[in-house]
Amino acid sequence: MNTEEINDVIRCYVKAGEIAYRVKKNARRLVKPGVKIVEIAESIEREIKELGGFPAFPVNISINEVAAHRTPYIDDVEVIPDASAVKVDIGVHVNGYIADTAVTVVLDDKLIPLAEAAQNALMKALKAVKPGAKFREIGKIIENTARKAGFKVIKNLSGHSLGHYLIHSGEVIPNYNDPFVLGRFRTDRAYAIEPFVTTGKGMVKEAKGKIQIYSLRRVKGKPLSEPEHKVLSEIIRRFKTLPFCERWLVDVGPVSNLRASLTSLARKGYLNQYPVLVAVGRGLVTQFEETILITRDGDVIVTTNPEIHL
Ligand code: MN
Ligand code: MN
C-alpha cells in the first residue's frame, strides 16, 4: 500500500473507533434493570448506522456468569436483572476496518471492585503496548492486576489482532503470561485488548442451547434448498466474513424458516457457530476492551477512546 492508501485505512480505523466510543457511552445509559436486552442491542446497532458505520458483529449483551457471545434473538424476552454485571461488547466497521470495544455496567456497588479490576488491567496493559512488546508481557500485566485485586482472569478468552473484515486475524493477546504465545506487537497493525476478570475458576465453557451468532465459513459445498440458498446469498452480500445473527436477516423471510435455514447451513458446513460462553463454576465476569492501532511511526492510538493518551 502507498502512503495515501495507508492514511485512508487509518482514517477508517479512527472513524470506526469514534463511532464505537460514542455508542459505548450511550450504552451505559441504556443498561437499566427491567429493560429488554433486544431493545438495547437494536438501539446501539441503529445508532452505529446513523453515525455512518456498520455493526462489525451483533452487539453482545452478556450478563453475570455469561462471558460472551450472547446476542438477543428477534423475539428475545430477557431483561436486565437487578444487581447484575452487564457486559456490552460492540463492534463497528468502516469499509471493513474494525473497532472492537466493551464495557461492563455494574448495577450493584458490591460489583465495583470486580469491574475496576478489569478496567485497571486494561489501562495498565495499554500503557505497556509499543512496537516489539511481547503479547505475553501484556498478559502478565493483566493477570497480576486481577490477582492483586483478589480475582482471576479468564484464561481461555483473549485479545486479538484485527484484519480487514476479520475480527480475529490470527494473533492472540493472552490475558495471562502464556508461555506458548510468542508474538509481539508490530507497526501497521490493529489489535483488541480485552481482559476478562472473574470470581469463578478462570475459564469459560460453551453453554448448551441455541446458537445466536454465526459467520460465513465457505461459499460452496453440499447442495442447498431454495430457502437455504436465498439466506446464504444474503449472508454473503450483507456480512462477508463478519459475524451476524438472526435479527439481521429478519426481512429475508418468516422467522421459523430463517432459523431452520441457519441451522441447516451450519450443519452443511457453510457457517461457523459461536456458542454462548459461560464461566466455569458460575462466577461473575467483567470485561473491558479497547482497540488500538500502531502506526508506521510506532504511535499507539486507542481508536475506541480518544480520552486515553498513551
Ligand atoms: Mn469485543
Ligand atoms: Mn475482541
Side-chain angles (χ1 to χ4, degrees):
M1 275 197 272
N2 63 38
T3 310
E4 204 172 306
E5 285 165 338
I6 289 169
N7 288 339
D8 198 46
V9 168
I10 291 175
R11 270 194 292 277
C12 291
Y13 271 119
V14 169
K15 184 177 178 192
E18 282 170 356
I19 295 168
Y21 176 68
R22 286 177 64 178
V23 300
K24 179 171 58 174
K25 275 195 158 177
N26 291 341
R28 283 179 167 278
R29 286 202 285 275
L30 294 170
V31 175
K32 296 255 158 51
V35 178
K36 277 188 175 178
I37 62 168
V38 67
E39 283 170 20
I40 299 170
E42 291 191 335
S43 166
I44 294 169
E45 290 164 2
R46 198 182 314 120
E47 197 187 357
I48 290 170
K49 291 179 208 158
E50 283 165 3
L51 293 171
F54 289 94
F57 53 80
V59 170
N60 287 206
I61 303 176
S62 307
I63 298 167
N64 291 340
E65 74 279 4
V66 180
H69 298 172
R70 171 75 171 102
T71 201
Y73 300 110
I74 289 165
D75 48 7
D76 211 305
V77 295
E78 184 167 7
V79 297
I80 302 290
D82 288 327
S84 53
V86 183
K87 294 156 292 291
V88 183
D89 196 331
I90 298 165
V92 177
H93 82 85
V94 171
N95 296 331
Y97 299 100
I98 298 163
D100 184 2
T101 190
V103 62
T104 300
V105 180
V106 292
L107 300 171
D108 188 322
D109 287 352
K110 284 201 289 287
L111 299 169
I112 290 173
L114 186 64
E116 282 185 347
Q119 194 164 24
N120 291 341
L122 177 57
M123 281 307 301
K124 285 186 185 164
L126 290 172
K127 288 196 164 77
V129 174
K130 58 181 183 220
K134 291 177 183 165
F135 294 153
R136 55 183 280 200
E137 285 298 323
I138 299 301
K140 188 175 171 183
I141 290 166
I142 290 170
E143 188 181 26
N144 283 343
T145 309
R147 195 195 300 122
K148 277 183 194 148
F151 305 112
K152 287 181 177 165
V153 294
I154 293 181
K155 289 190 167 183
N156 58 343
L157 288 173
S158 55
H160 47 95
S161 53
L162 292 154
H164 196 211
Y165 287 104
L166 285 175
I167 307 285
H168 291 253
S169 68
E171 292 178 294
V172 163
I173 303 162
N175 285 327
Y176 66 107
N177 188 4
D178 183 345
F180 296 105
V181 171
L182 303 175
R184 293 168 185 264
F185 290 95
R186 290 191 272 172
T187 56
D188 269 340
R189 294 276 167 108
Y191 304 92
I193 301 181
E194 49 181 314
F196 285 82
V197 172
T198 183
T199 58
K201 293 193 186 307
M203 297 289 279
V204 288
K205 61 178 181 188
E206 294 180 356
K208 292 191 184 74
K210 218 163 70 65
I211 296 293
Q212 301 167 21
I213 302 177
Y214 302 85
S215 70
L216 183 66
R217 184 160 169 234
R218 62 167 70 107
V219 296
K220 287 200 171 74
K222 291 184 178 151
L224 297 177
S225 70
E226 190 47 46
E228 287 166 3
H229 185 264
K230 188 177 165 199
V231 171
L232 185 67
S233 316
E234 285 305 310
I235 289 166
I236 294 166
R237 190 174 70 80
R238 297 182 192 189
F239 317 126
K240 299 188 169 63
T241 42
L242 292 172
F244 62 89
C245 62
E246 63 173 35
R247 287 186 290 107
W248 294 2
L249 291 160
V250 67
D251 56 314
V252 173
V255 175
S256 56
N257 295 4
L258 170 63
R259 284 179 181 160
S261 292
L262 289 172
T263 304
S264 56
L265 284 168
R267 202 181 52 237
K268 290 178 179 178
Y270 288 88
L271 303 179
N272 298 306
Q273 298 178 305
Y274 303 91
V276 172
L277 299 172
V278 295
V280 175
R282 299 187 67 82
L284 296 171
V285 180
T286 59
Q287 171 210 18
F288 281 82
E289 178 177 26
E290 305 285 3
T291 292
I292 55 172
L293 181 66
I294 307 185
T295 67
R296 184 148 289 186
D297 299 330
D299 297 329
V300 181
I301 302 166
V302 184
T303 65
T304 45
N305 193 338
E307 287 167 33
I308 302 174
H309 298 284
L310 301 174

